């Protein structure tokens, strides 16, 4: 090519500088691409380690605090009543599962599934019959426990579980059974929809302790005042 | 045409085997500077083909443009104005314009 007569040397020099820059930039970009996921992995694993250490520390602290509070007088009884200890005694085990019937055309298939309110009714009956401790699928029910619909599952103590449900209740077993099975009661209503409900009486039902922790952030203790204000 | 190509290849090799690394924080500035240089080179080639080449103008333009572009982007970063994209657009536009002109000159001559 005869085109370039002027300044070919300067263009050559400049091209060299340009080539240098190009190569450096190319390598830098390559490095960045290669490095970022690696850095991310390291960062994430470091964070995981940190969180795990924090968790272990907190667990240790919790244990210490529990020991300290347990040693003071009278708290054992309170802990039992609050549901922080596992209990064993005579009682009933209720097992519930979704209906085996197929829904007829045009019928809402939801009717054949166990819902939070079905479970709530059973638990309400058990409580009315004097159950001392109740657990649902291994989750102890305490004063702040919720039973609510969580998509296709139920959430108890913010732990999700799905059918079949096993409700364990400690109390006088005959009374508990009668409360569930009385005429027009829960068992009969649920049977209409084919929802399976079995009861098993036992002399040593085990109900686990509440596994979470309770911390009151918004409520403050005040001296009891009279009803009239 | 041989000399610039040889220069480019020499520069590429030099850059590839040197141990210079751009820190991540300046990668953006460097890329803008690179784009400005690329634009200058194409502009110079075009001028050379059109036989309107000015050595001083070319060399000064090359370095001045690159430094100015990087500086402007830096200042923009500090002020919260993303001049990066403005520089990208401007230089990208000019590169294509220069390339088109270069092609036209070369085609006309043959």
């Amino acid at each position: 090519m005869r085109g370039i007569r002027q300044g070919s040397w300067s263009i050559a020099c400049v091209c060299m500088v340009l080539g240098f820059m190009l190569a450096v930039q190319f390598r830098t970009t390559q490095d960045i691409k290669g490095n970022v996921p690696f850095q991310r992995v390291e960062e994430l694993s470091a964070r995981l380690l940190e969180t795990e250490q924090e968790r272990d520390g907190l667990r240790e602290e919790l244990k210490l605090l529990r020991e300290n509070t347990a040693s003071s007088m009278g708290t054992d009884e309170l802990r039992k009543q609050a549901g922080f200890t596992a209990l064993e005694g005579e009682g009933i085990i209720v097992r519930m599962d979704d209906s085996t019937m197929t829904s007829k055309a045009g019928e809402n298939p939801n009717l054949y599934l166990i819902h939070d309110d079905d479970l709530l009714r059973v638990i309400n009956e058990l409580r009315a019959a004097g159950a001392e401790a109740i657990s649902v699928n291994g989750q102890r029910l305490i004063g702040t426990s919720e039973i609510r619909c969580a998509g296709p599952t139920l959430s108890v103590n913010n732990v999700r579980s799905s059918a079949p449900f096993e409700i364990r209740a400690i109390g006088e077993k005959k009374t508990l059974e009668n409360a569930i099975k009385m005429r027009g009661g829960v068992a009969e209503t649920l049977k209409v929809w084919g929802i399976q409900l079995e009861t098993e009486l036992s002399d040593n039902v085990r109900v686990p302790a509440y596994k979470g922790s309770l911390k009151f952030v918004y409520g403050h203790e005040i001296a009891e005042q009279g009803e009239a204000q | 045409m041989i000399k610039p190509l040889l220069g480019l290849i020499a520069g590429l090799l030099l850059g590839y085997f040197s141990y210079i690394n751009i820190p991540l924080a300046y990668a953006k500035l460097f890329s803008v500077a690179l784009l400005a240089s690329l634009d200058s080179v194409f502009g110079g080639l075009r001028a050379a083909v059109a036989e309107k080449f000015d050595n001083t103008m070319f060399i000064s333009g090359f370095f001045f443009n690159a430094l100015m572009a990087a500086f402007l982007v830096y200042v923009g970063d500090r002020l919260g104005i993303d001049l990066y994209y403005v520089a990208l657009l401007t230089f990208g536009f000019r590169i294509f314009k220069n390339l088109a002109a270069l092609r036209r000159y070369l085609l006309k001559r043959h």
Side-chain angles (χ1 to χ4, degrees):
Chain A
M1 186 137 347
R2 66 210 152 81
I4 302 165
R5 254 164 267 143
Q6 309 154 294
S8 63
W9 273 114
S10 55
I11 292 184
C13 285
V14 162
C15 272
M16 199 170 98
V17 177
L18 181 74
F20 182 76
M21 285 169 84
L22 272 172
V24 169
Q25 175 76 355
F26 174 74
R27 258 185 346 152
T28 310
T29 316
Q30 217 73 344
D31 282 356
I32 291 171
K33 270 183 193 152
N35 273 348
V36 164
F38 182 66
Q39 275 179 349
R40 184 100 184 112
V41 166
E42 266 198 348
E43 189 191 311
L44 285 176
S45 57
R47 237 157 80 187
L48 179 69
L49 208 74
E50 205 175 285
T51 319
E52 273 176 358
Q53 276 169 356
E54 198 184 320
R55 182 200 63 190
D56 290 344
L58 286 171
R59 215 176 247 170
E60 211 52 32
E61 201 185 317
L62 182 71
K63 208 173 129 193
L64 221 99
L65 284 172
R66 277 203 174 136
E67 272 167 11
N68 284 347
T69 46
S71 60
S72 54
M73 286 287 288
T75 45
D76 278 1
E77 185 61 26
L78 277 177
R79 285 170 57 81
K80 199 169 97 186
Q81 285 176 10
F84 282 87
T85 55
L87 295 178
E88 192 188 47
E90 101 174 48
I92 189 174
I93 300 173
V94 183
R95 295 194 181 84
M96 295 169 74
D97 204 348
D98 291 338
S99 175
T100 48
M101 289 203 272
T102 46
S103 59
K104 297 172 192 97
E107 241 178 355
N108 189 354
N110 268 331
L111 293 170
Y112 296 93
L113 298 176
I114 296 181
H115 287 281
D116 43 345
D117 39 341
D118 301 330
L119 216 61
L120 275 168
R121 283 182 62 191
V122 171
I123 283 155
N124 209 25
E125 282 303 333
L126 289 173
R127 281 201 167 138
E132 288 170 358
I134 301 175
S135 74
V136 177
N137 275 8
Q139 286 297 321
R140 177 72 172 271
L141 294 185
I142 61 163
T144 56
S145 296
E146 91 288 4
I147 295 179
R148 74 181 284 269
C149 214
T153 59
L154 284 185
S155 133
V156 181
N157 287 346
N158 282 322
V159 175
R160 291 172 178 202
S161 56
S162 55
F165 295 100
E166 189 184 78
I167 304 166
R168 289 159 173 257
I170 294 179
E172 204 196 334
K173 52 187 179 185
K174 268 288 162 206
T175 320
L176 292 177
E177 193 191 20
N178 289 339
I180 299 286
K181 292 198 161 169
M182 68 179 168
R183 189 161 293 176
V186 195
E188 222 176 84
T189 328
L190 291 177
K191 202 180 272 177
V192 176
W193 304 110
I195 286 172
Q196 304 166 55
L197 192 149
E198 293 167 18
T199 54
E200 181 194 328
L201 301 184
S202 170
D203 279 330
N204 39 12
V205 176
R206 276 166 189 244
V207 173
Y210 178 66
K211 292 182 192 85
S213 63
L214 264 185
K215 204 171 185 186
F216 292 106
V217 177
Y218 300 103
H220 300 285
E221 213 168 341
I222 50 163
E224 192 82 49
Q225 289 172 338
E227 290 282 330
Q229 280 201 325
Chain B
M1 207 60 183
I2 299 296
K3 271 182 253 172
L5 270 178
L6 279 179
L8 187 67
I9 289 166
L12 279 173
L13 289 176
L14 209 69
Y16 198 78
F17 292 109
S18 72
Y19 290 99
I20 295 175
N21 255 327
I22 307 296
L24 220 69
Y26 299 116
K28 206 170 160 185
L29 302 184
F30 193 76
S31 61
V32 171
L34 181 62
L35 199 67
S37 320
L38 216 60
D39 167 57
S40 293
V41 169
F42 280 120
L45 278 175
R46 175 195 165 184
V49 171
E51 308 206 331
K52 282 188 287 188
F53 189 78
D54 184 335
N55 210 358
T56 337
M57 204 63 102
F58 177 63
I59 298 283
S60 66
F62 179 81
F63 290 106
F64 190 74
N65 267 2
L67 288 177
M68 259 332 259
F71 176 71
L72 270 181
V73 170
Y74 175 79
V75 169
D77 253 6
R78 290 290 165 280
L79 296 179
I81 310 165
D82 231 343
L83 288 175
Y84 177 71
Y85 298 103
V86 179
L88 229 61
L89 263 176
T90 313
F91 286 120
F93 185 69
R94 276 181 50 174
I95 285 173
F96 281 114
K97 230 172 67 180
N98 281 335
L99 268 176
L102 198 62
R103 176 178 49 91
R104 213 165 294 136
Y105 277 122
L106 288 175
L107 281 180
K108 243 183 217 164
R109 213 180 284 172
H110 290 290

